[in-house]
Amino acid sequence: MWAITFIVLAVASQGALSFNALPMAHRQLANIMLKTSVSMNEHPERNVLCFPIYSQAIAEANERYAVSYNECLDVALNAQNAVESEVANDRSNVYQQGEDVCSSFQGCSKIESSADYFQCYHNAAGTSLTKSLEIQTLAKNTMQYIQLRHQTIEYDKNYCTNKSTDAYIKESTALYTQLEQCLAGGASPPSPTTTTDPSETTTGTLPPPTQAEFH
């Protein structure tokens, strides 16, 4: 049993269990160990033969999934940065108009004559009212645009990551199933080779070793 544990650790060290986005990989391997523990003890040669073959394929599937998933996140981040660039001028305009309103009142505070003092604030308030409405309109329109863009970006990101995850689940499930069959001593017809793009829905599999390879 210690030999089996060592092999499981070897699978993990090769990356088969390294990507934390889907703890399903841990559960799948644990289930296989439980289902085939008797057969593995009776035929230890299958452990040595099956695990190296499928652990490499599983590690490669995990790596492709990690790359695909991170690409989805990078696209979303770049889109968010693009939105920030698009609204940079509006942000600068709102800031400048706000500074103008503030500076007009600050200038009034330095006037010593009470008559001129209140007259200045009266004029500044009238001017700032118009500018404040302009700021409010620009800020509202820009805010709504940003919110709409962020909703679209979030939708696209979720669609991309879900598609990547679904493809990974199909591919890894097929590989774990073949590993289970291999450990149990079963042989099935060769399947299509592993796909290189985890965003595709094609299931990647490996042909299991034949019975002759166990002897």
Side-chain angles (χ1 to χ4, degrees), residues 45-46 49-50 53 182 185-188 208-215:
E45 70 279 2
R46 293 173 184 166
L49 181 62
C50 297
I53 294 175
C182 180
S188 58
T210 61
Q211 289 286 353
E213 293 179 276
F214 290 120
H215 304 289

Side-chain angles (χ1 to χ4, degrees), residues 7 9-18 51-52 54-60:
I7 294 173
L9 293 176
V11 173
S13 67
Q14 293 184 35
L17 305 179
S18 61
F51 271 108
Y54 288 99
S55 64
Q56 179 179 355
I58 292 169
E60 291 173 353

